[in-house]
Amino acid sequence: MASLLYRLGRFSARRAWLVIVAWLAILALAGGAFALFGGALSSAVSIPGTATQKVSDELAEKFPAASGGRGTVVFTTTDDAPFTEEQKTAIGELLVDTGDLDDVKATTNPFETQAQIDQQAVTIAAGRQQISDASAQFDAGQAQIDEAAAQIASGQAQLDVAKAQAEAAGQLAAVQPQLAAQQAQIDAGSAQVAAQQAALDAARAEVEAQSTTLEQGAELLALAAEIRQVSTDETTAVAGIQFDKSLNVVPAEAKEAIVESMSDADIDGVEAAVSNDIASSIPEILGPGEIGGVIFAAVVLFVMLGTLIGASLPLINAVIGVGVGVLASLALSGTVTMLSVTPVLGVMLGLAVGIDYSLFILNRHRTQLRNGVPLAESIGLANGTSGNAVVFAGSTVLIALLALNLTGVPFLGLMGTVGAVCVLVAILIAVTLTPAFLRLLGTRILTKKARAGMGGAVASARVPVKPMNTLRAVVTVVAGIAVLLIVAIPALSMRLGLPAGSSEPVDSSAYKAYKLIDDKFGAGVNGPLIVVADLADAITDDELVGEQARIGTLLKAENNVVAVAPIGASDDDMLLAFQVVPEDGPTSETTEQLVRDLRGLEIDGVSSLGVAGNASGNIDVSEKLADALPLYLLVVVGLSLIILVFVFRSILVPVTATLGFVLSLFASFGAITAVFQWGWLAPLFGVHDPGPILSFLPILVVGVLFGLAMDYQLFLVSGMREAYVHGTPARLAVQRGVYAGRTVVIAAALIMTSVFAGFVFSNSVMIQSIGFGLAIGVLFDAFVVRLVIIPAVMHLLGDAAWWMPKWLDRILPNVDVEGASLERSHPGSHAG
């Protein structure tokens, strides 16, 4: 590999303009592909096959009227006064127009809906009064019937006595016609009373049935009493927007059209705020914070290299690499659903590793020039030595990123692939474009003082001549591990979730909508749950209201449920859907527990109970990622350990490298939890509403940070191994390896940290947390683990650090990361 890169470096130097033009052409092609085939980015996180997604699919299949994504628009009066009739009319007309927009299935007028709800209460009260009045009439009628029946019974008794007397006197035949006539009158009266009783009983039964239905409706109304469309002070109203497809596949143009429609409404005295389901912001790829991070990286480069030309070269390479990688990836956004954070991750990694990888080669080239190595030869040697190390270091990053596809989470796999593309481009640019620029710049890459001393006597480096003190090494290891473990403590309480409206920028429409709903209607209205009951047997229309009331009452009885409202029944009468409003917001622990409780609830006549909504989506995504993490770690760590065993020809060095990574990883998790969940130093980092940690952040940080950690391990420990194999005692080799590599590693780590830290001030909490996690992780890993703990551990291990079974040593190929064999075959590299 070293020889191949040497030749590639020499070729790139000889054909410098060809290489530069080729990369610019590739950049133009990537830009053209994006312009032609690029599509909109998505802000909705979803995973196929989860319990939440299954409920959504079932609704789409069996209950189309209740399927499709939903969002809300919050209208509020600017003077905090109740809505006027003119304002209500204008809002209603606006919603009618909104319903005609593309991909919008229906809109809900909050004033009409609230009026209907209020009218239902009035209707129920009137119905109860009517039933009460009817019952009183029935009672009066029953009294009359009972009185008539008593009179008939008395008449019958008198007739019977008269008949008995006539028979005793022997006059029965004479009075028989008169008695028969009287009996006929009594029988007719009795029949009439019976008919009246039957009619009264039928009417009473009908009213009782109506009363049952009315009370069931009243029960449903009571269950949903806390669900309002207009606030009690009549200053705020919530309108519903229903789409014809799931939110994650609704085109961004359709959502933007709604936002634009609401922004341009210009209703006097009314302000409209669109919820984050519709108006969640797409993060800017390069904002002021990100540019500030790049500027800080430029300052670090200038301080290290001493020339503006030298400082600008890695930056130019990184920018070109990011342009190629990100634009090429974005060209796929028209055919695949790409999360909005995906290209930002590509920018993060492309800038960070692009600058670092070019710096490694550039730094080696400058050292060789000062030693008197000819320009072209120095370029080839730098590419074959440091470039070789760049390729191996980059391979660990590529493995970690591409392995994200093994999680089975499509959006995460795509993020890893885009990040890997940007890293691969950074590697290719480092070993081709860097040599081309170095050839054009010539010796101007050095300071004037360095150019004046080229080829002359070089002051001998003041390399360490004695190893670290053993007691100091023990104290260093204990103290370093203790610090990282203390920082990691908050990670024990880390909660995972997905962003809600509260995490949007404070000046955004989505944040305002979230806070208005929270204040005027209750936190749970921001995250209602959809509960679907699959019935064991189909129900009839007569049974529908009663069954809804029965199941709704059981749902309402669960802890932290504020209200339950029936949505309807499927066409086959085998499915009932309900809206359940929790007490707290969609990211709260109580709402997540409610989802688990509802899924575990057993109801007679219900074969299964499904739950959908933001909270259930949070649980499903987190569980899916948690299940995928062990396999991911096994693959990433396993493959990287194999690479490191090849590189260092040691067992303990890769093991200690991995254990050090685990320490820095958990410390970074602890810092993330403290800032973004606990709210420590939140204002400093622009965190206005602390909440759960982004659900896919841990696995993403694991992948990226592991690759970067192995980079620094490679550049530092390879110097230790080089000194050791050249006969330096193991413990002294540790000191010399650190001395040789610390400057470039410190600069590289500062650059990478500054680039990542620039994204902490993004307008998206997703980008903020990813940038912070990677920045703090690099700081911990580079400055605590690699530069402090690992050298101390290597000192304590001594010769044992380089132990390897003889049988394994015989079968392993010789991986010359630093290109030592190339240097031996090119003695000019030691000139001067």
Side-chain angles (χ1 to χ4, degrees):
M1 176 65 75
S3 298
L4 174 63
L5 291 172
Y6 169 81
R7 292 193 297 271
L8 180 61
R10 292 289 298 252
F11 171 82
S12 298
R14 287 196 307 271
R15 301 287 188 271
W17 282 112
L18 175 63
V19 172
I20 293 171
V21 170
W23 275 112
L24 292 177
I26 293 172
L27 177 61
L29 288 173
F34 168 64
L36 291 174
F37 307 112
L41 300 176
S42 171
S43 58
V45 179
S46 64
I47 300 179
T50 61
T52 298
Q53 189 62 47
K54 289 177 181 177
V55 171
S56 299
D57 293 341
E58 185 178 26
L59 282 173
E61 177 186 355
K62 296 183 178 180
F63 198 176
S67 66
R70 286 178 172 81
T72 56
V73 179
V74 183
F75 296 96
T76 187
T77 55
T78 55
D79 58 358
D80 205 32
F83 289 103
T84 64
E85 290 302 320
E86 292 78 8
Q87 290 171 337
K88 293 179 181 179
T89 301
I91 291 172
E93 292 173 351
L94 173 62
L95 291 171
V96 170
D97 294 339
T98 304
D100 295 331
L101 296 176
D102 292 341
D103 296 296
V104 176
K105 180 190 292 186
T107 60
T108 303
N109 185 317
F111 305 107
E112 293 179 356
T113 304
Q114 188 63 53
Q116 292 171 358
I117 294 173
D118 296 339
Q119 184 58 44
Q120 286 175 352
V122 173
T123 302
I124 287 174
R128 282 173 170 166
Q129 184 60 49
Q130 290 174 355
I131 289 173
S132 176
D133 293 342
S135 296
Q137 292 175 0
F138 291 149
D139 291 342
Q142 185 66 54
Q144 293 174 354
I145 291 173
D146 291 343
E147 183 180 356
Q151 291 176 353
I152 290 173
S154 175
Q156 183 67 55
Q158 293 175 359
L159 181 63
D160 291 341
V161 171
K163 184 177 180 180
Q165 291 175 347
E167 186 176 5
Q171 299 296 319
L172 181 61
V175 297
Q176 184 64 40
Q178 183 181 358
L179 293 174
Q182 291 176 351
Q183 184 65 55
Q185 289 178 351
I186 290 173
D187 290 343
S190 180
Q192 184 178 6
V193 168
Q196 290 175 346
Q197 184 66 60
L200 182 65
D201 290 342
R204 189 188 293 275
E206 182 179 354
V207 169
E208 287 177 351
Q210 291 174 351
S211 178
T212 300
T213 302
L214 184 68
E215 292 306 318
Q216 289 173 342
E219 189 175 356
L220 288 178
L221 193 63
L223 291 173
E226 297 300 321
I227 301 177
R228 294 187 59 85
Q229 305 301 309
V230 180
S231 61
T232 53
D233 61 5
E234 297 188 355
T235 63
T236 308
V238 179
I241 308 291
Q242 186 175 5
F243 296 96
D244 56 10
K245 53 179 72 72
S246 298
L247 277 174
N248 61 311
V249 294
V250 174
E253 295 83 358
K255 296 180 180 180
E256 290 169 1
I258 294 174
V259 174
E260 184 178 353
S261 173
M262 297 302 162
S263 300
D264 297 341
D266 194 24
I267 300 174
D268 187 34
V270 175
E271 182 180 357
V274 184
S275 71
N276 71 311
D277 299 312
I278 303 173
S280 54
S281 58
I282 300 298
E284 54 192 9
I285 292 182
L286 274 179
E290 293 86 339
I291 295 173
V294 174
I295 292 174
F296 183 82
V299 172
V300 173
L301 287 169
F302 178 73
V303 170
M304 178 184 178
L305 302 176
T307 66
L308 287 175
I309 291 178
S312 62
L313 177 55
L315 292 173
I316 293 172
N317 282 355
V319 169
I320 294 175
V322 165
V324 171
V326 173
L327 289 175
S329 301
L330 283 173
L332 300 174
S333 60
T335 55
V336 297
T337 301
M338 185 175 290
L339 199 62
S340 57
V341 73
T342 302
V344 182
L345 178 66
V347 172
M348 278 190 199
L349 293 175
L351 283 175
V353 302
I355 295 172
D356 278 4
Y357 290 168
S358 291
L359 174 62
F360 292 141
I361 297 173
L362 170 61
N363 188 60
R364 182 67 173 246
H365 172 61
R366 280 163 47 88
T367 301
Q368 292 170 168
L369 282 182
R370 286 196 298 267
N371 290 341
V373 179
L375 178 65
E377 180 69 4
S378 177
I379 292 173
L381 285 171
N383 217 46
T385 53
S386 291
N388 198 37
V390 163
V391 170
F392 276 95
S395 66
T396 62
V397 182
L398 291 176
I399 289 173
L401 290 171
L402 290 174
L404 287 172
N405 288 280
L406 298 176
T407 62
V409 180
F411 76 85
L412 197 56
L414 186 59
M415 288 177 68
T417 301
V418 169
V421 168
C422 292
V423 172
L424 178 61
V425 172
I427 295 171
L428 295 175
I429 280 186
V431 298
T432 56
L433 194 56
T434 300
F437 278 132
L438 291 177
R439 175 64 181 84
L440 295 179
L441 294 175
T443 58
R444 286 176 296 169
I445 200 70
L446 298 175
T447 61
K448 290 182 179 179
K449 182 179 179 180
R451 290 200 299 269
M454 284 176 55
V458 179
S460 59
R462 300 171 65 180
V463 297
V465 294
K466 62 179 182 179
M468 181 189 305
N469 179 276
T470 300
L471 177 60
R472 176 188 168 191
V474 172
V475 172
T476 298
V477 171
V478 172
I481 292 176
V483 168
L484 293 177
L485 289 178
I486 291 172
V487 177
I489 289 174
L492 296 174
S493 62
M494 178 186 284
R495 290 180 54 238
L496 301 179
L498 295 175
S502 58
S503 62
E504 294 292 325
V506 291
D507 58 349
S508 67
S509 173
Y511 184 81
K512 293 175 184 176
Y514 188 94
K515 288 300 182 182
L516 278 170
I517 291 176
D518 195 338
D519 180 46
K520 298 289 186 177
F521 300 92
V525 179
N526 274 307
L529 303 174
I530 303 297
V531 177
V532 172
D534 287 299
L535 305 179
D537 300 302
I539 58 171
T540 64
D541 292 341
D542 294 337
E543 298 171 329
L544 176 60
V545 176
E547 190 69 1
Q548 287 178 329
R550 182 181 74 88
I551 296 175
T553 301
L554 294 173
L555 296 178
K556 179 68 166 56
E558 291 297 302
N559 292 331
N560 301 306
V561 174
V562 171
V564 177
I567 297 175
S570 60
D571 294 338
D572 60 2
D573 297 320
M574 292 291 291
L575 178 149
L576 296 180
F578 299 84
Q579 182 188 63
V580 175
V581 177
E583 184 175 349
D584 299 312
T587 60
S588 70
E589 292 180 85
T590 58
T591 303
E592 291 183 3
Q593 185 58 48
L594 174 60
V595 172
R596 296 186 179 93
D597 292 343
L598 289 173
R599 285 177 172 171
L601 184 63
E602 295 183 0
I603 299 176
D604 291 340
V606 176
S607 57
S608 65
L609 205 63
V611 183
N614 285 344
S616 67
N618 288 349
I619 293 173
D620 294 340
V621 171
S622 299
E623 290 180 350
K624 179 76 172 178
L625 293 172
D627 292 341
L629 187 57
L631 174 62
Y632 176 71
L633 281 174
L634 180 64
V635 172
V636 172
V637 175
L639 289 177
S640 297
L641 280 174
I642 292 173
I643 290 178
L644 292 178
V645 168
F646 273 62
V647 170
F648 296 122
R649 306 188 76 80
S650 164
I651 300 296
L652 292 180
V653 170
V655 171
T656 56
T658 303
L659 292 177
F661 158 73
V662 172
L663 282 173
S664 59
L665 176 68
F666 281 104
S668 66
F669 284 171
I672 293 169
T673 303
V675 173
F676 289 89
Q677 183 176 315
W678 289 6
W680 289 7
L681 302 176
L684 178 63
F685 296 101
V687 180
H688 48 78
D689 285 69
I693 305 304
L694 186 65
S695 57
F696 58 85
L697 178 61
I699 197 168
L700 187 64
V701 170
V702 167
V704 176
L705 193 57
F706 186 82
L708 299 180
M710 295 306 105
D711 279 8
Y712 299 131
Q713 178 80 6
L714 190 64
F715 284 107
L716 275 176
V717 181
S718 60
M720 300 177 191
R721 181 176 182 274
E722 186 177 5
Y724 179 74
V725 298
H726 283 85
T728 304
R731 291 179 171 174
L732 181 57
V734 172
Q735 290 293 83
R736 292 185 174 178
V738 172
Y739 181 84
R742 66 185 179 187
T743 301
V744 69
V745 167
I746 289 173
L750 286 175
I751 289 167
M752 194 164 287
T753 299
S754 64
V755 171
F756 289 148
F759 288 86
V760 174
F761 304 99
S762 168
N763 65 337
S764 165
V765 71
M766 287 197 293
I767 304 302
Q768 284 181 309
S769 56
I770 293 173
F772 178 83
L774 294 179
I776 201 72
V778 169
L779 276 178
F780 286 144
D781 197 85
F783 292 99
V784 180
V785 174
R786 306 302 154 191
L787 289 170
V788 176
I789 296 178
I790 290 297
V793 170
M794 294 288 289
H795 173 88
L796 296 175
L797 290 175
D799 290 314
W802 306 106
W803 172 83
M804 174 175 281
K806 292 182 179 179
W807 64 268
L808 183 58
D809 186 61
R810 287 194 299 269
I811 63 175
L812 284 181
N814 183 27
V815 180
D816 184 13
V817 175
E818 284 295 325
S821 61
L822 182 65
E823 289 185 301
R824 288 193 295 270
S825 63
H826 291 78
S829 63
H830 304 288

